[in-house]
Amino acid sequence: MNDFRDAFVYLNDPFNWTRPGGILDLLVEHLTISVLAVLAAAALAVPLGILIATTGRGSGAVVVVSNVSRAIPTLALLTVFAVTPIGFGPRATTIALAVFAVPPILTNTFVGFRGVDADVREAARGMGLSRGQVIRRVDLPLALPLVMTGLRTAAVQVVATASLAALVAGGGLGQIITLGFGQQDYGQMIAGALLVALLALATEAVLVLVSWAVTPGRRRLPFPPRRRDRTPAGEPEATAVGVPS
């Protein structure tokens, strides 16, 4: 418990937050690396997923790319980059995290657009919409929930994994953990881990709200309140398929 107390003391020291290279500066570095990595992955994966889903060609490549990308550890990529012109630093970390973020975005985009009812597309074409208009006005709104789920999953994974940037002079909150490890200061290590975990949870919450705001259709609360069970005694409770009870 002394280590957790030390972590609490570390996080409540204003100097640790405001000094040059402190928590606030490291937080900005961490978010910059993460945002750039997710945007780069989305810029590649979303158009590719749309293209594959709408043309019906190369669907097997989605599985291959997804599996291969997930099988490559981010730390291994950073080690490989160290002996290439990419070298160490934020650029190497951003590229490695972008590769790590591609699979969930690509897979969810492909599944979302592939799952759009063909009859809906045919009806839109019958109304005179071009292929591009069908994708923008029909496919995208219907596939958007799954696309946003892929982006949210990738973003949370990237924020959590960006701590590895500290191992290759890339900055970020991981520096607090590595510095604490080097000094055998377990309180500081726990403080860094808590900051990364809280940032990942905050990222999840923010993107849930963004997904709720941009998804067309009837608005429902992104965090619905728990309903009280009103099932009469002795009667079985009905549960919708695919919805946890």
Side-chain angles (χ1 to χ4, degrees):
M1 295 299 294
N2 291 334
D3 293 333
F4 284 94
R5 183 186 62 191
D6 293 342
F8 182 78
V9 172
Y10 180 89
L11 293 175
N12 279 274
D13 187 349
F15 178 73
N16 290 330
W17 288 83
T18 57
R19 63 181 172 84
I23 295 176
L24 292 179
D25 289 343
L26 296 176
L27 177 62
V28 172
E29 293 179 359
H30 199 105
L31 288 175
T32 301
I33 293 171
S34 301
V35 170
L36 290 176
V38 173
L39 289 179
L44 172 65
V46 172
L48 183 59
I50 295 174
L51 178 64
I52 295 174
T54 54
T55 61
R57 299 177 181 177
S59 58
V62 175
V63 178
V64 174
V65 171
S66 179
N67 291 337
V68 170
S69 300
R70 290 174 180 173
I72 301 176
T74 304
L75 186 57
L77 277 179
L78 292 174
T79 305
V80 172
F81 291 159
V83 296
T84 67
I86 297 175
F88 287 118
R91 181 175 61 175
T93 306
T94 302
I95 296 174
L97 291 175
V99 173
F100 182 62
V102 164
I105 300 176
L106 177 60
T107 302
N108 278 48
T109 302
F110 171 77
V111 172
F113 277 80
R114 192 66 179 268
V116 175
D117 194 341
D119 292 338
V120 176
R121 288 198 184 101
E122 289 299 326
R125 293 192 185 100
M127 297 174 61
L129 297 183
S130 64
R131 181 181 175 184
Q133 289 174 326
V134 171
I135 292 176
R136 292 193 306 271
R137 299 183 182 181
V138 178
D139 291 346
L140 181 58
L142 294 176
L144 194 56
L146 271 178
V147 175
M148 289 301 302
T149 299
L151 287 170
R152 189 171 74 244
T153 302
V156 173
Q157 291 177 349
V158 165
V159 166
T161 312
S163 305
L164 295 175
L167 301 177
V168 292
L173 294 173
Q175 286 192 10
I176 300 174
I177 301 175
T178 55
L179 184 60
F181 181 80
Q183 298 175 347
Q184 295 297 302
D185 187 345
Y186 297 108
Q188 184 173 340
M189 291 173 58
I190 293 173
L194 289 174
L195 288 171
V196 174
L198 290 174
L199 183 59
L201 292 174
T203 302
E204 170 78 12
V206 169
L207 290 180
V208 165
L209 292 174
V210 171
S211 178
W212 171 78
V214 302
T215 301
R218 183 180 178 183
R219 289 285 184 269
R220 295 182 179 180
L221 292 176
F223 306 103
R226 185 179 180 84
R227 294 183 178 181
R228 298 181 61 184
D229 186 9
R230 298 182 178 180
T231 305
E235 294 186 9
E237 180 180 358
T239 304
V241 177
V243 178
S245 57

